[in-house]
Amino acid sequence: MHDLIRTIIAYVLILGLLVFVHELGHYLAARWRGVKVETFSIGFGPALYRWHDRVGTEWRLSAIPLGGYVKPHGFEGPEDATPEQQAAWEAGRTFHDKPVGSRVIVIAMGPVFNFGFAILLFTLFFALSGRPELKNEIAAVEAGSPAAQAGVKPGDVITRIGDLAVFNYADVQAQTASHPGLATTLGIRRNGADLTLPVTFATTPGKSPGSAPVGHLGVMAQAFPGKPMPVPKAFVAGVEETWTVSVETLQGLWQIVTGHRSARELGGTIRIAQMSGQVAQYGFASVVSFMALLSVNLGLINLFPIPILDGGRLAFYAAEAIQGRPVSRRVQEISFQAGFALIAGLFLFSTFNDLSNLGLFNWLSKRPG
C-alpha cells in the first residue's frame, strides 16, 4: 500500500510539473503576442479548484491528471464559433486574427519549453551528481550465460543484435529484455575486427509475480560514476544530453516503425506511473534525471505532425504561410478526426503493453474458469 501511494503521488507531481511547463510555454507566448488566455488547466475534466487572475485567465486544477491545456481567446475561429462566442470576442486579443507567425510562436513554445526544461534539469543533475558514463564495452560475462556460450568476451563491444544497430548499452538491455528466448546474432567488435556470433537469449521470470518473462544475455557494462561539474560545464553537458536523448529516441521510434524493434517497448501512462514510483525511492537526483528524460519525450511527441498535437497545427500553419490562405476547414476536420483516432489507438496499444508487462493477462488466463 505504501508503494502504491508513493507511485500515485510521484506520478501526479512529476507529470503535473511537466505539463505545467509545457502549457506555461503556450501561455507566456500568447501573452507576448497579445492574445488573451481564457483558461490554463492542469488536468482534464471537472475542475477541483479554480481561480481567476487579474487579467481574466481562469486557472484550474482538474480531476483527470493525464495532461492539461491552455485555451487562447478566439481559438475556435469564425467558422467554428457560435454567435454568442463571436459576440464575446475582444477585438485585437483573439488567437485566430493574429498573423500566422504569431500563431506559430504560441503553438511552438510548448515543446520549446519542454526542451528548455530538460536542459535545466540535466544541468542541475550534472552539477549535483556529475555525468555518469556507461561504456558500451563489455566489462564482464556471466559464466554459463547465453553470452558466454556464444563466445562474448570482456572488452567486446556489441554493435548489432540481429539486424538492429545498437547505439549504447541501454539498447542491449532493452532488446534483450523484450525478446526472451530469441535466437539471433550479435554483431561484435573485438580488437578492431567485426565478428558475428549466434546466440539465444535465456528466458527469466518477470520482476513481480505473474509479470511477463524477460530475456537475459548475461553481460555487464563498465559504469563510471560522474563527478559534480561547475555550472557552465554542466549546462553545456545538459544541452548535449538533451540532443543525444532526442536523437536516440527518434532512432528508436523509427526502428519500431520499420519493424527492427519490438512494439512491446512502447509504454504508456501506467508505465510512466510505475517508473515514477521507482525513481522516487532512489532520491532527488534520480527524480531530476527521470523528469529530464520525460520532458524531452513530451517535447518530441508534441512536435510530431499529427493534427491533434502541436506539430499538426504547426504543419497547417506552414501550409497557410506557403499558400497564403488557411487550409480548408474540411481538410482540417478530416485530419483532426484521423489524428484523434491515431492517438486513441496508440493510447490503447501502450496501455495493453503496460498491462501485459504487469502480468495482468497471465493472471487472468490462470484464473479458474
Side-chain angles (χ1 to χ4, degrees):
M1 190 65 181
H2 174 75
D3 289 344
L4 177 61
I5 293 174
R6 183 186 62 228
T7 295
I8 293 174
I9 293 175
Y11 169 75
V12 170
L13 292 179
I14 289 173
L15 187 64
L17 181 55
L18 293 178
V19 168
F20 174 79
V21 168
H22 180 91
E23 300 304 335
L24 184 65
H26 292 314
Y27 171 81
L28 293 177
R31 293 288 306 275
W32 173 38
R33 306 312 297 171
V35 177
K36 177 183 177 180
V37 178
E38 294 181 357
T39 309
F40 188 124
S41 177
I42 301 299
F44 297 104
L48 301 176
Y49 181 68
R50 68 179 75 194
W51 71 97
H52 289 81
D53 63 19
R54 59 184 179 82
V55 296
T57 300
E58 181 186 85
W59 297 74
R60 295 181 183 177
L61 290 175
S62 299
I64 306 174
L66 295 178
Y69 63 92
V70 161
K71 185 181 183 301
H73 185 55
F75 187 69
E76 56 278 346
E79 292 182 334
D80 301 313
T82 64
E84 292 78 12
Q85 288 174 318
Q86 295 186 37
W89 283 343
E90 300 177 20
R93 302 187 68 191
T94 57
F95 178 83
H96 66 263
D97 67 359
K98 294 297 179 182
V100 66
S102 292
R103 283 178 275 144
V104 165
I105 290 172
V106 173
I107 297 301
M109 277 300 150
V112 168
F113 264 50
N114 280 128
F115 289 118
F117 191 53
I119 292 172
L120 177 64
L121 291 172
F122 278 130
T123 299
L124 177 62
F125 178 75
F126 295 149
L128 293 176
S129 303
R131 192 175 191 177
E133 183 180 4
L134 188 65
K135 287 197 171 183
N136 203 18
E137 183 177 302
I138 302 304
V141 179
E142 180 184 330
S145 67
Q149 295 173 16
V152 178
K153 298 179 179 180
D156 288 350
V157 175
I158 299 177
T159 58
R160 303 190 71 83
I161 296 179
D163 295 329
L164 176 68
V166 170
F167 301 105
N168 50 47
Y169 184 68
D171 280 345
V172 176
Q173 293 176 307
Q175 284 301 299
T176 302
S178 60
H179 293 91
L182 176 68
T184 184
T185 57
L186 298 179
I188 298 292
R189 183 167 297 122
R190 180 183 297 165
N191 299 324
D194 290 323
L195 308 174
T196 299
L197 305 177
V199 68
T200 300
F201 298 152
T203 300
T204 60
K207 294 181 179 179
S208 57
S211 61
V214 296
H216 179 68
L217 180 59
V219 296
M220 289 171 281
Q222 289 183 316
F224 299 91
K227 296 180 180 179
M229 297 180 177
V231 173
K233 188 175 181 180
F235 174 76
V236 173
V239 174
E240 293 173 349
E241 189 70 14
T242 299
W243 173 258
T244 299
V245 171
S246 300
V247 170
E248 291 181 351
T249 300
L250 292 175
Q251 288 172 333
L253 287 172
W254 178 247
Q255 290 169 348
I256 290 174
V257 170
T258 56
H260 290 94
R261 200 164 187 157
S262 173
R264 287 179 56 190
E265 295 182 39
L266 285 175
T269 302
I270 296 174
R271 190 176 302 181
I272 293 174
Q274 186 180 26
M275 294 179 67
S276 298
Q278 291 171 353
V279 299
Q281 64 183 320
Y282 296 125
F284 178 73
S286 295
V287 172
V288 168
S289 177
F290 178 65
M291 286 180 61
L293 294 172
L294 279 184
S295 194
V296 171
N297 279 269
L298 184 59
L300 284 175
I301 289 171
N302 273 280
L303 286 178
F304 288 170
I306 300 174
I308 199 172
L309 302 177
D310 294 336
R313 291 194 176 275
L314 292 175
F316 284 142
Y317 296 152
E320 179 179 343
I322 292 171
Q323 66 185 11
R325 64 181 186 278
V327 176
S328 71
R329 184 181 181 187
R330 179 61 177 164
V331 170
Q332 291 191 47
E333 287 177 349
I334 294 174
S335 299
F336 278 111
Q337 290 170 0
F340 179 81
L342 177 60
I343 294 299
L346 288 173
F347 176 80
L348 292 174
F349 180 74
S350 62
T351 301
F352 176 85
N353 280 348
D354 292 347
L355 294 175
S356 296
N357 290 329
L358 289 174
L360 175 64
F361 302 113
N362 286 340
W363 177 75
L364 289 175
S365 66
K366 294 177 182 178
R367 292 187 65 189

